[in-house]
Amino acid sequence: MAGVAMRQPMTTAPAGFRLHYVDDSGSHASGLVSFTWLQLDPEYWAAAEQTWLAFRRDLYTRYRIPASRPLHATDLAGGRRSPSLDPGWDASEHGADVIVRALEAIGALAGIAVGTVFTRIGSDGFHAAKSGLYRRLTDLLDGDLRQRGQHGLVVMDGDGSDPSYAAAHRALPVSRRLIEAPVFRLSETDQWVQMADIAAWTGFQALRRRRVHGRKLWGWYRSRLGHLDLFGGPREL
């Protein structure tokens, strides 16, 4: 997408291929919809995954949360479901700590970069705003890949039942660098999709600034992931 420049993450060297783990956030009530992605060159994938799995082992030691239990930021923040094997798990006491620790673990991953884009929901409604934003995001990613002489792939949470995602990829030029339609993975079985979920929720909270969660989390995105953000902060598209 012309006119929106992304800075090259300092932790990564130019490579021929790039992975993008993408998740969405937002609601009609908030008037906002956003997408956050974790960007990674495959050469760093194994080392980054080992760092994350070390964090998951630490979670088990601290809170008896097995690596097989998915981490969802909305559940951790709202106490909807307990991820812990400990019957004494207290979401109000421990949920925020797990989110912060997860963000710190993401922020320490080798070769990682983060981006967040958002838009405001217009009269056409939430789904139209979300679809339009995703199409602009694919334009942005494809343009950046072209500029750097790379190719890339998008991995997303879900089952692929929403046709607007594949349609956005089909709308790219034949010479596109963002290959294929998105690859969909269930967050219950994919640690990277869970990381994207936590980053996306935190980015949205920074935009929404809703008082019900308190002011402290408004700055989590910037303080824990800001050094990795491709734009220096969430960018409106």
Side-chain angles (χ1 to χ4, degrees), residues 155-218:
V155 181
M156 299 187 73
D157 181 22
D159 58 9
S161 58
D162 185 341
S164 66
Y165 292 116
H169 287 244
R170 288 196 301 270
L172 292 170
V174 175
S175 59
R176 70 190 197 185
R177 294 303 186 101
L178 194 61
I179 66 171
E180 298 287 354
V183 174
F184 290 94
R185 300 292 300 273
L186 296 178
S187 62
E188 285 74 11
T189 58
D190 193 292
Q191 299 286 342
W192 283 93
V193 172
Q194 292 173 44
M195 292 183 227
D197 170 275
I198 291 169
W201 181 88
T202 309
F204 176 66
Q205 297 305 322
L207 293 165
R208 189 180 191 187
R209 302 173 75 84
R210 191 182 178 201
R211 292 183 181 277
V212 69
H213 291 302
R215 292 176 179 270
K216 64 179 182 179
L217 63 74
W218 296 357

Side-chain angles (χ1 to χ4, degrees), residues 121-189:
I121 299 171
S123 59
D124 291 339
F126 178 81
H127 188 267
K130 181 178 174 181
S131 299
L133 179 61
Y134 185 74
R135 182 161 180 171
R136 293 191 294 277
L137 173 58
T138 58
D139 288 342
L140 174 65
L141 296 177
D142 188 66
D144 189 62
L145 289 166
R146 184 183 309 280
Q147 182 179 1
R148 302 189 189 285
Q150 299 176 312
H151 290 83
L153 184 71
V154 167
V155 181
M156 299 187 73
D157 181 22
D159 58 9
S161 58
D162 185 341
S164 66
Y165 292 116
H169 287 244
R170 288 196 301 270
L172 292 170
V174 175
S175 59
R176 70 190 197 185
R177 294 303 186 101
L178 194 61
I179 66 171
E180 298 287 354
V183 174
F184 290 94
R185 300 292 300 273
L186 296 178
S187 62
E188 285 74 11
T189 58

Side-chain angles (χ1 to χ4, degrees), residues 5 8 16 20 28 30 37 84 88 103 122 143 151 163 178 181 204 214 223 233 235:
Q8 181 76 0
H20 309 86
H28 189 274
S30 71
W37 69 98
S84 175
L103 291 169
H151 290 83
L178 194 61
F204 176 66
S223 64
R235 174 65 62 88

Side-chain angles (χ1 to χ4, degrees), residues 11 38 47-48 50-56 58-59 62-63 71 76 94-114 192 194-196 198-202 216 219-228:
T11 51
L38 305 181
Q50 289 306 307
T51 299
W52 179 258
L53 291 177
F55 157 72
R56 294 305 309 258
D58 180 67
L59 276 192
R62 291 176 183 274
Y63 295 122
L71 298 180
L76 290 166
H94 305 310
D97 183 62
V98 172
I99 293 174
V100 169
R101 291 180 183 277
L103 291 169
E104 290 173 346
I106 293 169
L109 296 178
I112 201 83
V114 177
W192 283 93
Q194 292 173 44
M195 292 183 227
I198 291 169
W201 181 88
T202 309
K216 64 179 182 179
W220 285 355
Y221 183 86
R222 183 170 297 278
S223 64
R224 269 73 181 190
L225 301 179
H227 63 293
L228 300 175

Side-chain angles (χ1 to χ4, degrees), residues 7-56:
R7 64 189 186 191
Q8 181 76 0
M10 298 300 293
T11 51
T12 59
F17 198 80
R18 203 167 71 195
L19 296 167
H20 309 86
Y21 294 91
V22 181
D23 200 10
D24 67 281
S25 196
S27 67
H28 189 274
S30 71
L32 295 167
V33 61
S34 62
F35 283 96
T36 296
W37 69 98
L38 305 181
Q39 182 172 298
L40 185 73
D41 293 335
E43 64 184 287
Y44 294 97
W45 187 91
E49 172 122 317
Q50 289 306 307
T51 299
W52 179 258
L53 291 177
F55 157 72
R56 294 305 309 258

